[in-house]
Amino acid sequence: MRKEVSADKKRELPPVRRLLAVTVCLLVAAFASACGSEPEKPPLTTSITQAAAEAPGGEVSITIPGTLAADFTVLEQSAKGKLGLAIMPVGGTQFVGLGKWTTGPAWSTMKVPLVVAAERKNPGGQSYAVSAAITASDNSAADSLWSALGTPREAAQSVQAVLREGGDSVTVVAEKPKRAEYSSFGQSEWSLADQVRFASKLPCLPGADKVVQLMGSVSATQQWGLGSVFEAAEFKGGWGPDTDGAYLVRQFGLVPANGGSVAIALAAQPDSGTFSDGMNLLDEMAGLISQHLGEFTGGSCPAR
């Protein structure tokens, strides 16, 4: 089910089809073998076939319509800041990324694998902290879960092991904070590409049922981005300032689509540096995705 997207969040394609076709060609060149620019042709569509999760030998496809790529280009050109978007079906093996922003501190999005690690070590034993860390993004609760995993090195290794199991073979979870006023795990570098890979496998990981459920019950004050548009979304946001005080706002989650679910990772670094402008940019990206959701094919976890 989708929430209604306000008119001011909807963006129409410019009438000049030839220009858009060329723009889309540049955006999806990595995924298409050829790209035409004749104005009479319909918007380009790139299809990526991936190994299926539903059954051996099956296939699940994700299609990034040329209209989405073109719409995203229009949004990015008008946005006052850097944007990033990555999409991948649950159970898939390939992702599609759009936008100039690609990587940065995880901030509170890293609380998701942290909670999975905490639940595995002590199932049901820290229910309040687990719930608060996800639904309210409570930092004290997350810190208590981190401490319960052992020494900083043991905690980092436990969270990193969850990432590896979730298909992220790159991200290193920091043992010590780079900036003393913020958590070490939140300052770990986490790219959109690695984050969406992890998100696509999250619902399939043993012991992750609780965290996915909580991601569907996020506090009303944090219902921006995916939460501003999709009623059935399961998501977690993260935000924080750089050393100059300029905010990065990011989010990842799962959204129902035809045939299953898709994993989505979003990020915005507004020129103004304000948290509110970052939220608004994520709202706009989520609204754009909702307009094209019917063109996606989702996936599901393999049978155990």
Side-chain angles (χ1 to χ4, degrees), residues 1-303:
M1 183 182 300
R2 289 181 288 167
K3 298 179 182 177
E4 291 297 322
V5 183
S6 61
D8 62 335
K9 290 183 182 176
K10 295 184 178 180
R11 295 175 178 269
E12 297 181 353
L13 289 173
V16 186
R17 291 282 181 176
R18 182 181 182 88
L19 177 59
L20 281 180
V22 174
T23 301
V24 174
C25 180
L26 293 174
L27 277 170
V28 301
F31 304 102
S33 59
C35 185
S37 59
E38 294 82 354
E40 67 274 8
K41 289 185 178 181
L44 297 169
T45 299
T46 297
S47 185
I48 300 170
T49 302
Q50 308 174 10
E54 296 96 337
E59 290 185 343
V60 59
S61 297
I62 180 171
T63 298
I64 299 297
T67 51
L68 172 58
D71 275 351
F72 186 89
T73 300
V74 173
L75 173 61
E76 188 171 41
Q77 289 174 343
S78 64
K80 295 180 179 180
K82 289 184 178 180
L83 307 181
L85 166 64
I87 303 175
M88 185 172 182
V90 168
T93 59
Q94 299 286 340
F95 78 95
V96 173
L98 298 171
K100 296 177 181 178
W101 195 95
T102 58
T103 189
W107 294 116
S108 288
T109 60
M110 192 61 78
K111 290 173 182 174
V112 172
L114 169 60
V115 165
V116 174
E119 275 288 282
R120 286 179 172 181
K121 182 167 184 178
N122 186 13
Q126 304 167 91
S127 58
Y128 173 78
V130 163
S131 178
I134 299 299
T135 63
S137 204
D138 187 293
N139 291 328
S140 296
D143 288 342
S144 70
L145 296 176
W146 175 265
S147 297
L149 290 173
T151 65
R153 173 164 294 184
E154 290 171 337
Q157 290 175 342
S158 295
V159 177
Q160 192 167 294
V162 174
L163 294 179
R164 297 292 181 267
E165 190 177 342
D168 178 353
S169 61
V170 176
T171 303
V172 175
V173 179
E175 298 176 22
K176 299 178 181 179
K178 297 177 182 178
R179 296 161 63 188
E181 65 270 35
Y182 300 110
S183 65
S184 58
F185 55 86
Q187 293 175 70
S188 304
E189 187 88 0
W190 202 3
S191 73
L192 282 184
D194 292 320
Q195 189 172 71
V196 82
R197 288 190 186 100
F198 173 76
S200 73
K201 290 190 177 183
L202 174 63
C204 314
L205 298 181
D209 293 347
K210 181 64 174 179
V211 71
V212 173
Q213 177 187 0
L214 291 170
M215 288 167 68
S217 303
V218 169
S219 167
T221 61
Q222 296 176 27
Q223 292 281 335
W224 34 265
L226 298 176
S228 72
V229 177
F230 302 102
E231 289 186 359
E234 296 155 332
F235 60 93
K236 179 72 188 79
W239 59 95
D242 62 17
T243 54
D244 294 325
Y247 271 77
L248 165 67
V249 184
R250 58 188 305 179
Q251 187 184 72
F252 79 94
L254 304 164
V255 172
N258 296 327
S261 298
V262 292
I264 300 171
L266 309 165
Q269 199 160 24
D271 291 341
S272 68
T274 66
F275 175 50
S276 60
D277 284 348
M279 283 195 302
N280 291 336
L281 289 172
L282 259 63
D283 287 350
E284 291 192 65
M285 281 191 282
L288 190 63
I289 294 167
S290 75
Q291 295 174 44
H292 296 277
L293 189 65
E295 300 160 342
F296 293 105
T297 299
S300 58
C301 297

